[in-house]
Amino acid sequence: PLPGATVTVESQETGQKRVLTTSESGTYQVLALPVGRYQVEIGADGFQTAYRTVELSVGGSLVVNFPLAIGAVTTRVEITDAVPLVAPA
């Protein structure tokens, strides 16, 4: 479970999105979604974003769990001093 992750649920038919954050226990719940096909996305700092497409039917209830992989570490090198000129010998 990952608390504070961002979950986005987007209707594939209408493009309507709902964005929420996982609870302290790492769970989330999206209520009163119309029937249809949805893309569910979850992401958090330091983890790769995960996606899943699901189909919601009349009277349906889904549990969508995501394994999140640790994201790539980005390194940034910034040079602030000028390189000294070397005089030929």
Side-chain angles (χ1 to χ4, degrees), residues 6-11 15-20 29-34 38-39 41:
T6 300
V7 179
T8 304
V9 179
E10 180 178 0
S11 168
Q16 184 177 6
K17 292 182 182 181
R18 292 200 198 171
V19 180
L20 55 135
Q29 188 174 30
V30 186
L31 301 173
L33 286 174
Y38 292 88
Q39 179 170 321
E41 172 185 325

Side-chain angles (χ1 to χ4, degrees), residues 10-63:
E10 180 178 0
S11 168
Q12 298 296 289
E13 285 88 16
T14 66
Q16 184 177 6
K17 292 182 182 181
R18 292 200 198 171
V19 180
L20 55 135
T21 304
T22 59
S23 68
E24 289 180 5
S25 62
T27 61
Y28 66 97
Q29 188 174 30
V30 186
L31 301 173
L33 286 174
V35 170
R37 190 173 176 91
Y38 292 88
Q39 179 170 321
V40 182
E41 172 185 325
I42 187 165
D45 290 341
F47 292 88
Q48 295 177 1
T49 301
Y51 304 89
R52 188 160 305 152
T53 300
V54 297
E55 185 83 27
L56 187 60
S57 59
V58 174
S61 176
L62 295 173
V63 175

Side-chain angles (χ1 to χ4, degrees), residues 56-77:
L56 187 60
S57 59
V58 174
S61 176
L62 295 173
V63 175
V64 183
N65 294 318
F66 287 89
L68 292 181
I70 294 176
V73 176
T74 304
T75 303
R76 179 178 171 175
V77 177

